[in-house]
Amino acid sequence: MKFYSTRNKNHLVSFKEAIFQGISPEGGLYNPAEMPNLSNLFNSMDEKTSFIDSSAMLASEILKDDLSADRVKSICEKAFPFSPEITKAGDNLFILELYHGPSCAFKDFGAFFLAAAMEELLAGDDRKAIILTATSGDTGSAVAQAFHNKKNIDVVILYPSGRVSPLQEKQLTTLGGNVTALEVKGSFDDCQKMVKEAFLCKELSKFPLTSANSINLGRLIPQSFYYVYAVNQLKRKYDNLVFTVPSGNFGNLTAGILAAKWGLPVKNFVAATNANKEVPEYLESGIFSPRPSLQTYSNAMDVGNPSNFERLKDIFNDDYKKMGEVIIGEWVTDDETIEAVKNFYAIKGSFIDPHTAVGYVASKRYIKKSGCFSTICSSKRNTAIITLSTAHPGKFLEVVEQATGIKQILPPRLEKILALKKESVLIDNTTDALKDYLQKKFS
């Protein structure tokens, strides 16, 4: 499979070229040049197919021009000592838990696969890579841990000062070694803009820069793996499957859309945002109006100009009506988020983080609006809605305690991080500031 730039469809590259470039020379993102029909592959899987096996089967098919099946299987085994888990949250309502990896967030799946793939592809090459990535919270911690001490790779992470949770900040500022955290005096949108402009800066072209954000194809493709796993677990019991995806930069949703384009049987996707509701508004009006991000309790979704929306518009030929046939947009307020965390604990006796809470509220709305769960609907028992749970609630101690009045007991892998010393470099929110830092560090 080849991949083209969203800004130049004649610019075709291999998977290896795509992941080490990050973005195209025109500033576009890479999308598959074709959408193969993999229905037979998906039909060959069932609930007994392990996550590693289903991931390796899909990745081998998508990446067969670049990597042998044995090398892909090795990458998956290195990347995934953890797996998604599905729990029931109500009649026909499920939670897909994606926080069982080292950083306790769904970003672990993409980051650890990308790290393993890059290390595999760099082996034997006389070259290095510099990972330059922006984070609104979870990406940074996942990337930091995935790439920590990887051979021939340095990591520079930009995060908005005061706009990530205390635990998230500790996760990305305490590793040291080949990982450097830049604390930007601004918003996530500033961080993302700085990274994008750095890739296009001629003065920095001498450095082997690439990204580990979901703008990188190597982060995006493995995020499709857990949609396949969830479908495998539920497809024999339900005819219609709907995924609700808490969305910020829209990489997670785009990965699900790609899987569906490849033949994964999914009825709809619900794009669940917080007050940064540019995409739900687009799905209503056809007008996309990016603007400065608003700060919310679900901070990893505080994105006013989501990068992957460019990919989505490309996939649907910039036709919002076609996109709206597949994707339903919902946005959720902070008050509704807090109430959902509180109610979920009251009903289930367990915690959810604020991002999962946004998805949970949107799933409930879908149930109410669709009518497919009413007593008179013939498909009531044949539809399941799966909410992606994107982070462990322990990463948001303050918000969860505010909602429930209960202080959580953290899992050991999070507890030990709190005692570590933060180390970051404070910089201005300008591309010049980033350029100066990179030139001094790597020249």
Side-chain angles (χ1 to χ4, degrees), residues 32-245:
E34 60 182 83
M35 294 293 182
N37 187 343
L38 302 180
S39 296
N40 289 338
L41 177 66
F42 295 137
N43 289 337
S44 72
M45 304 174 186
D46 59 26
E47 68 275 9
K48 295 180 182 178
T49 308
S50 71
F51 176 69
I52 286 179
D53 285 345
S54 62
S55 299
M57 291 164 69
L58 177 55
S60 295
E61 187 65 35
I62 297 297
L63 307 178
K64 60 187 178 184
D65 290 343
D66 291 83
L67 293 162
S68 68
D70 288 343
R71 292 179 78 187
V72 169
K73 184 68 178 289
S74 175
I75 289 170
C76 289
E77 288 173 343
K78 290 176 182 176
F80 302 134
F82 50 91
S83 175
E85 296 183 14
I86 295 180
T87 58
K88 198 162 187 178
D91 291 341
N92 303 70
L93 183 60
F94 295 84
I95 302 290
L96 180 61
E97 296 177 355
L98 301 175
Y99 52 72
H100 296 288
S103 80
C104 297
F106 80 97
K107 306 286 179 83
D108 285 330
F109 289 93
F112 276 79
F113 182 89
L114 178 61
M118 281 188 166
E119 191 172 48
E120 175 74 20
L121 291 167
L122 283 172
D125 285 3
D126 185 24
R127 63 172 179 156
K128 295 185 177 181
I130 300 171
I131 303 294
L132 184 63
T133 199
T135 184
S136 55
D138 287 332
T139 291
S141 54
V143 168
Q145 295 190 50
F147 284 90
H148 188 227
N149 290 334
K150 284 284 187 284
K151 295 177 182 178
N152 302 315
I153 300 175
D154 285 296
V155 182
V156 178
I157 300 170
L158 287 74
Y159 74 97
S161 181
R163 294 199 179 194
V164 301
S165 77
L167 201 149
Q168 284 176 321
E169 186 174 42
K170 282 292 184 79
Q171 283 187 307
L172 61 94
T173 61
T174 57
L175 287 172
N178 66 329
V179 177
T180 302
L182 299 184
E183 185 176 354
V184 176
K185 292 183 278 187
S187 68
F188 168 74
D189 294 311
D190 294 326
C191 298
Q192 185 164 256
K193 182 172 181 285
M194 292 161 68
V195 167
K196 285 184 175 180
E197 291 179 351
F199 284 123
L200 301 175
C201 176
K202 291 183 178 180
E203 294 173 73
L204 296 178
S205 61
K206 62 183 177 180
F207 300 120
L209 298 178
T210 188
S211 176
N213 281 83
S214 56
I215 61 174
N216 191 309
L217 192 73
R219 260 278 312 278
L220 191 72
I221 286 177
Q223 290 180 269
S224 68
F225 298 167
Y226 41 74
Y227 289 95
V228 176
Y229 177 79
V231 169
N232 288 343
Q233 299 304 304
L234 297 173
K235 65 183 180 181
R236 293 199 177 184
K237 297 178 182 177
Y238 299 94
D239 294 330
N240 301 309
L241 298 174
V242 176
F243 285 96
T244 299
V245 189

Side-chain angles (χ1 to χ4, degrees), residues 299-437:
N299 67 277
M301 294 155 55
D302 291 351
V303 184
N305 187 12
S307 285
N308 284 286
F309 189 59
E310 182 170 332
R311 275 193 173 109
L312 283 174
K313 289 176 72 178
D314 177 76
I315 290 169
F316 289 99
N317 296 314
D318 203 8
D319 187 331
Y320 82 99
K321 291 184 178 179
K322 286 185 178 179
M323 190 185 294
E325 291 173 2
V326 180
I327 304 171
I328 294 97
E330 294 285 355
W331 71 278
V332 177
T333 68
D334 266 355
D335 287 344
E336 290 171 321
T337 301
I338 290 291
E339 190 67 18
V341 175
K342 177 183 177 181
N343 289 342
F344 192 89
Y345 182 79
I347 295 169
K348 302 294 294 182
S350 58
F351 300 108
I352 53 173
D353 82 288
H355 307 79
T356 304
V358 169
Y360 184 67
V361 172
S363 290
K364 290 281 195 178
R365 284 190 197 156
Y366 179 89
I367 290 171
K368 186 175 182 179
K369 290 179 180 179
S370 68
C372 282
F373 296 83
S374 67
T375 56
I376 61 172
C377 181
S378 61
S379 64
K380 177 186 177 185
R381 295 184 179 180
N382 294 324
T383 300
I385 184 163
I386 305 111
T387 304
L388 273 58
S389 183
T390 56
H392 191 287
K395 298 187 76 169
F396 302 90
L397 287 170
E398 299 81 9
V399 177
V400 173
E401 185 174 358
Q402 177 185 340
T404 65
I406 300 171
K407 189 169 185 176
Q408 301 171 68
I409 299 175
L410 290 179
R413 64 188 186 279
L414 293 181
E415 183 70 42
K416 67 180 182 181
I417 292 171
L418 293 175
L420 299 178
K421 182 182 178 181
K422 166 189 168 181
E423 293 185 8
S424 65
V425 178
L426 189 66
I427 69 168
D428 290 331
N429 60 341
T430 66
T431 304
D432 284 341
L434 175 59
K435 182 175 69 176
D436 290 344
Y437 174 82

